Amino acid sequence: MSDQPSGAKPKRFPLTLDAVTDKATRSRATVAPRFNSTQTAVKNVAARAPVLVKSSPPSVLNTPTEKSVANVANTVKRDDNMTLVSDAIRKAMVKRVQQQGVQDPLVLAAMEAVPRHYFLEPGLASQAYIDASLPIGYHQTISQPYIVARMIEILREQTTGKLNRVLEIGTGCGYQAAVLAHVAKDVYSIERIKPLHELARNNLRQLRIPNLRLHYGDGMLGFPQVAPFDGIILAAAGLEVPQALLDQMAVGGRLIAPIGEKNQVLKLVLRTGVFEWKTETLETCHFVPLKAGTLG
Ligand code: SAH
């Protein structure tokens, strides 16, 4: 999710990575190199970063020394501490999302369960819990926490318990797919940019989510092999909902998609019969564009 690219670059972030995450010790050797991303997401970060500083306990700002990181015993201890810190900051993020209007307890619990900092490169992981989209490379972004939660809440309205089969178009770094896997029995997610598909695979590996399957391909074609879906969620904005996706909705199913170019709105599509769909227009939003075809 993103505003339009602006060419802005981050000048300074208030926290170091080590201050909030154990990610520095995790290997990213298998991740393909990234291109420089120039997106307003970066501006969002700079603008919103002080919120994190304010809401963080002072101890968060104490960066462990290199010596302590080098020591195995200390590293274990440090990881425990950092896990506690990221848990606390994530709770604060969920509280903000709730204050912004998301009420579904299952969605809020899912947001609390998924470590968003696992999905960002080390240089940005310390910003993981602010309410902003952030660059993930290839001119794409990880969506803002509020919109991730809101879209899933909309998808789940009228559902008691978990959704059955859900399709996400636009895996990106894999964050929203991981959240979806907490509220649905089976989640399929498609990404058209191969290095991002691989990045998501790598990010998700350590979380070991058995009910999530990633697929490299053009999501505008859907996933006919496993259709129909009870829920479809698009993480990129087109001018209209692709017909293939409408066809792959189960009767009674719901689809949520950002629609538009510069001015975008969230649209909810309900399949009310074999040959009948109803559409509702919800709030405004800003997503990267939905594009046809694949990029290897
Ligand atoms: N779901 C992500 C957001 C990813 S940004 C999150 O968890 O935050 C949107 C993604 O949609 C980008 O990675 C982009 O490459 C992808 N995308 C755009 N058009 C697509 C298409 N036709 N099929 C699959 N993915 C697409």
Side-chain angles (χ1 to χ4, degrees), residues 1 136 140-143 148 168-177 190-193 196 217-220 235-236 288-293:
M1 217 202 83
I136 56 171
Q140 308 302 323
T141 55
I142 183 172
S143 300
V148 168
E168 180 195 36
I169 310 303
T171 315
C173 60
Y175 173 68
Q176 184 167 43
I190 307 179
E191 173 56 55
R192 67 181 286 275
I193 300 177
L196 283 181
D218 179 0
M220 288 174 79
V288 292
L290 184 70
K291 292 189 175 170

Side-chain angles (χ1 to χ4, degrees), residues 51 54-55 89-105 107-108 111-112 129-131 144-147 149-150 153 283:
V51 174
K54 238 197 244 165
S55 62
I89 299 180
R90 193 155 60 252
K91 273 201 171 86
M93 176 195 82
V94 174
K95 204 163 176 203
R96 274 201 308 277
V97 165
Q98 196 174 10
Q99 282 161 354
Q100 286 167 290
V102 176
Q103 297 303 321
D104 186 334
V107 175
L108 295 171
M111 296 291 288
E112 199 168 318
Y129 297 106
I130 62 174
D131 194 35
Q144 173 200 13
Y146 163 74
I147 203 78
R150 183 71 189 120
E153 178 174 66
E283 61 209 68

Side-chain angles (χ1 to χ4, degrees), residues 107 148-156 176 179-180 183 233:
V107 175
V148 168
R150 183 71 189 120
M151 286 174 91
I152 300 177
E153 178 174 66
I154 293 164
L155 208 62
R156 261 184 47 77
Q176 184 167 43
V179 179
L180 277 168
V183 305
I233 193 160

